[in-house]
């Protein structure tokens, strides 16, 4: 095997700063920003940029009604920590919003959270069972089975509120711009009122607009209208809206 050793001349030569031999541009821009600088850059490029374009472009083109670009957010469940799916969803939406902003549009992106549904209720029950076991209870499952629907909803609402704060912090740290200070939540009272208004319009248009939960084998689902009332129109809530619509 051949072995190469440095010559006496190279060994005797003083150690040189090879970086000075490269013809590179000189700049005072830091190679790596500090944590404080990163937060400042994120604030300017996300929250600050979004707020600026909402205010500055409001009167730029008053005659053009198509200058406004609205991205409707399909909200994530408020039932756990963020994961790769959240990142893919939010970053792709941010790319769309920023591309429209770069084309001169005034963008409107209001993020939201889905605070209802079985995933959140199951997570709330699981956390309640774990808490009971830590306290020394013999079986957390038995207490969960005896929880009233009202208590389950209260637990789910508390879980959703905590999760929204945690997820919002992560989303903003990614530099996703939007109206983070005023997001929409499906458990907000005004949102639920608007949902009831939509339901009222469905009732006005006829019973065919109401989903009765029928499956392919004609089995009723527990929560469907038909499983509790002989006809959808006999449901008290439907009757209430029907009379209101009339």
């Amino acid at each position: 095997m051949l072995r190469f050793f440095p010559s006496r001349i190279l060994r005797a030569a003083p150690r040189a700063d090879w970086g000075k031999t490269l013809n590179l541009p000189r700049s005072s821009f830091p190679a790596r920003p500090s944590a404080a600088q990163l937060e400042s850059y994120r604030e300017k490029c996300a929250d600050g940029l979004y707020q600026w374009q909402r205010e500055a472009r409001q009167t730029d083109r008053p005659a053009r009604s198509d200058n406004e670009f609205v991205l409707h957010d399909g909200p994530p469940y408020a039932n756990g920590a963020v994961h790769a799916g959240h990142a893919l969803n939010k970053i792709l939406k941010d790319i769309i919003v920023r591309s429209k902003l770069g084309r001169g549009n005034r963008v409107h992106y209001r993020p939201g959270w889905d605070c209802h549904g079985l995933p959140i209720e199951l997570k709330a029950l699981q956390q309640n069972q774990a808490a009971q076991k830590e306290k020394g209870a013999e079986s957390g499952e038995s207490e969960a089975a005896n929880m009233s629907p009202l208590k389950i909803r209260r637990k789910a609402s508390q879980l959703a509120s905590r999760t929204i704060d945690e997820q919002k912090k992560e989303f903003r740290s990614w530099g996703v711009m939007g109206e983070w200070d005023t997001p929409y939540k499906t458990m907000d009272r005004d949102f639920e009122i608007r949902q009831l208004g939509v339901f009222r319009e469905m009732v006005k248009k006829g019973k065919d607009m109401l989903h009765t939960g029928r499956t392919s084998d004609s089995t009723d689902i527990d929560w469907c209208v038909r499983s509790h009332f002989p006809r959808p129109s006999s449901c008290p809530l439907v009757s209430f809206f029907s009379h209101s619509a009339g």
Side-chain angles (χ1 to χ4, degrees), residues 3-55:
R3 295 184 179 181
F4 298 92
F5 299 94
S7 65
R8 293 181 179 179
I9 297 177
L10 289 176
R11 287 200 301 266
R15 185 169 296 177
D17 185 0
W18 299 108
K20 294 181 179 179
T21 66
L22 300 176
N23 186 18
L24 296 176
R26 306 295 178 182
S27 173
S28 60
F29 194 81
R32 293 181 180 84
S34 63
Q37 289 174 325
L38 278 175
E39 181 61 25
S40 175
Y41 296 153
R42 187 206 63 76
E43 173 70 25
K44 293 178 181 178
C45 297
D47 298 340
L49 176 60
Y50 185 86
Q51 187 65 27
W52 166 82
Q53 62 91 26
R54 292 300 297 172
E55 296 174 355

Side-chain angles (χ1 to χ4, degrees), residues 58-179:
Q58 188 170 4
T59 55
D60 273 358
R61 304 174 184 177
R64 288 190 56 185
S65 59
D66 60 341
N67 190 45
E68 184 89 2
F69 174 78
V70 180
L71 179 62
H72 296 281
D73 189 28
Y77 274 119
N79 68 331
V82 298
H83 49 71
H86 291 100
L88 179 63
N89 181 288
K90 292 299 179 185
I91 292 174
L92 286 177
K93 289 177 180 177
D94 194 56
I95 292 174
I96 295 173
V97 170
R98 289 178 183 273
S99 67
K100 290 294 184 179
L101 177 64
R103 295 179 181 180
N105 291 93
R106 181 174 182 257
V107 298
H108 182 196
Y109 173 55
R110 186 185 181 193
W113 277 269
D114 189 342
C115 308
H116 296 90
L118 191 59
I120 299 178
E121 294 174 359
L122 288 177
K123 190 65 175 290
L125 290 174
Q126 291 171 0
Q127 291 186 355
N128 185 72
Q129 292 173 10
Q132 292 299 321
K133 289 180 179 179
E134 288 181 359
K135 292 180 180 179
E138 295 182 358
S139 176
E141 296 182 1
S142 60
E143 180 177 343
N146 295 326
M147 288 177 62
S148 65
L150 184 60
K151 188 173 182 180
I152 294 176
R153 293 176 194 141
R154 187 179 299 114
K155 292 283 186 181
S157 176
Q158 294 171 355
L159 169 65
S161 297
R162 293 194 305 269
T163 303
I164 288 173
D165 292 338
E166 295 168 359
Q167 290 188 358
K168 185 196 302 183
K169 183 179 179 180
E170 292 293 329
F171 294 156
R172 300 187 79 167
S173 70
W174 297 344
V176 178
M177 64 179 189
E179 299 183 5

Side-chain angles (χ1 to χ4, degrees), residues 171-199:
F171 294 156
R172 300 187 79 167
S173 70
W174 297 344
V176 178
M177 64 179 189
E179 299 183 5
W180 295 108
D181 294 331
T182 57
Y184 77 88
K185 295 172 282 187
T186 61
M187 64 180 177
D188 286 343
R189 182 176 179 83
D190 60 336
F191 185 92
E192 292 179 334
I193 291 175
R194 291 197 301 271
Q195 289 291 90
L196 289 174
V198 172
F199 187 76

